[in-house]
Structures are given as structure tokens and as C-alpha cells.
């Protein structure tokens, strides 16, 4: 039964997760933390951090991890990953076939333009979800976040920011 719930949850995430991984975070968090209580908010924040540092989209990386944690085996990982990939793959195959002929259509242009604010709102919702007292252990965490935010606004290389944040965490919180 858990495999079916996992498949259904990540299938929904795949169908309704427009805008990429960051926009999907609020959907993923709602399914795995709030609705099913498969993992804690703190574990979710860890998954997001690890998913950002590993190759591949956040939704797929998180599906693989959550699938394994929930079921305790590789089948859970495979089922969740397959479920989150199935809708976008199917939609892209269908859309690609017709997009080139319809890209200048007024309705298609309007729909694409209308989805932009929704994607931004979902990314903002993901940020708000991740900024909780549970994920930020102390004042130092807030300082690291603030410095990283300012550095990213000033266009500092994101890989450098990830490495420096990791080093800061090791030095501050110990090995």
C-alpha cells in the first residue's frame, strides 16, 4: 500500500509541479511532510540542501531519497522517481509535437505569460517553507543565510557559496 501512496503522491507532484524544482518544493513538502508525515521538516530541509548539491533536478533527487526512506528499499526510490518523471515526460512529448506550430498562437502565448507569476509564487512559497525555526538552529544559521543571500545578489559564483557555506558549517558546528 505504501508503494501505491508513494507513486500517487509523486505522480501528483509531477503533474502539478510547473516551473521546475524550486516551484515544486512546496508541493513536495506538503505531500511528504504535512500530508503523509513521512519525514520531518528538518529532514526535508536536508533533502533540499543535498538535492541542490547533487547532479539532477531537485524533484527527482528528493523523490529518490524520500522513496528510499519511506519504504526502506530501492523499489521505493525507483517508484517515486518514475512517478515524478512520468507526467513531465508525457507532457513534453505531446507539447513538443505541437509547440513549433502553435508557439505564435495568441492563446498559447497568453497561457505561458499567465503561468509566470504562478511559478514565481511557488518558488517564494518554497522559500517561506524552508525558513522555519526548526531548519535554522541558531543565530549563526541566520547569519550564514544572510551573507549567502547578499553574496548571491552580488553575483558571487553559486558553487563557491555552497562550498564556503559547507566549510563554515564544518568549522562552526564541528565534524
Amino acid at each position: 500500500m505504501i508503494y501505491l501512496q508513494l507513486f500517487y503522491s509523486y505522480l501528483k507532484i509531477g503533474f502539478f509541479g510547473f516551473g521546475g524544482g524550486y516551484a515544486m518544493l512546496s508541493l513536495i513538502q506538503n505531500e511528504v511532510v504535512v500530508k503523509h508525515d513521512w519525514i520531518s521538516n528538518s529532514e526535508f530541509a536536508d533533502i533540499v540542501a543535498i538535492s541542490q548539491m547533487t547532479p539532477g533536478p531537485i524533484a527527482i533527487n528528493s523523490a529518490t531519497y524520500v522513496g528510499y526512506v519511506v519504504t526502506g528499499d530501492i523499489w521505493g526510490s525507483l517508484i517515486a522517481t518514475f512517478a515524478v518523471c512520468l507526467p513531465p515526460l508525457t507532457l513534453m512529448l505531446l507539447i513538443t509535437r505541437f509547440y513549433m506550430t502553435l508557439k505564435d498562437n495568441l492563446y498559447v502565448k497568453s497561457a505561458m505569460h499567465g503561468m509566470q507569476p504562478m511559478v514565481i509564487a511557488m518558488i517564494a512559497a518554497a522559500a517561506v517553507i524552508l525558513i522555519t525555526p526548526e531548519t535554522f538552529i541558531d543565530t549563526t544559521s541566520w547569519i550564514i543565510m544572510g551573507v549567502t543571500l547578499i553574496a548571491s545578489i552580488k553575483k558571487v559564483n553559486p558553487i563557491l557559496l555552497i562550498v564556503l557555506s559547507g566549510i563554515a558549517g564544518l568549522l562552526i558546528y564541528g565534524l
Side-chain angles (χ1 to χ4, degrees):
M1 186 63 171
I2 191 72
Y3 294 104
L4 192 57
Q5 286 179 331
L6 194 61
F7 180 82
Y8 180 66
S9 291
Y10 272 97
L11 191 66
K12 282 193 302 189
I13 292 165
F15 265 118
F16 300 108
F18 291 100
Y22 295 110
M24 291 176 142
L25 286 179
S26 58
L27 292 171
I28 296 169
Q29 192 265 352
N30 185 57
E31 283 293 316
V32 303
V33 177
V34 176
K35 186 174 180 183
H36 293 290
D37 197 31
W38 287 329
I39 60 172
S40 69
N41 227 4
S42 180
E43 287 174 303
F44 181 72
D46 291 341
I47 290 170
V48 172
I50 291 168
S51 295
Q52 289 176 349
M53 293 186 297
T54 55
I58 291 173
I60 294 172
N61 292 344
S62 71
T64 305
Y65 180 82
V66 170
Y68 186 81
V69 168
V70 168
T71 63
D73 60 28
I74 193 77
W75 292 109
S77 293
L78 292 172
I79 287 169
T81 303
F82 175 73
V84 80
C85 292
L86 184 62
L89 175 65
T90 306
L91 289 172
M92 285 310 300
L93 289 173
L94 293 171
I95 290 171
T96 303
R97 182 156 175 86
F98 299 105
Y99 182 72
M100 293 310 288
T101 57
L102 295 174
K103 70 179 181 178
D104 295 323
N105 181 292
L106 176 65
Y107 298 112
V108 173
K109 278 182 160 178
S110 297
M112 294 296 183
H113 186 70
M115 282 194 283
Q116 287 175 347
M118 182 269 311
V119 170
I120 292 169
M122 292 190 70
I123 292 170
V128 169
I129 286 169
L130 291 175
I131 299 176
T132 65
E134 188 178 312
T135 57
F136 284 86
I137 353 181
D138 55 18
T139 307
T140 308
S141 296
W142 287 99
I143 292 169
I144 292 171
M145 182 196 80
V147 169
T148 305
L149 179 64
I150 291 167
S152 66
I153 290 170
K154 295 198 177 266
K155 308 274 189 230
V156 174
N157 185 321
I159 295 171
L160 178 63
L161 293 176
I162 291 170
V163 170
L164 291 176
S165 296
I167 291 169
L170 284 172
L171 293 174
I172 293 166
Y173 300 108
L175 300 170

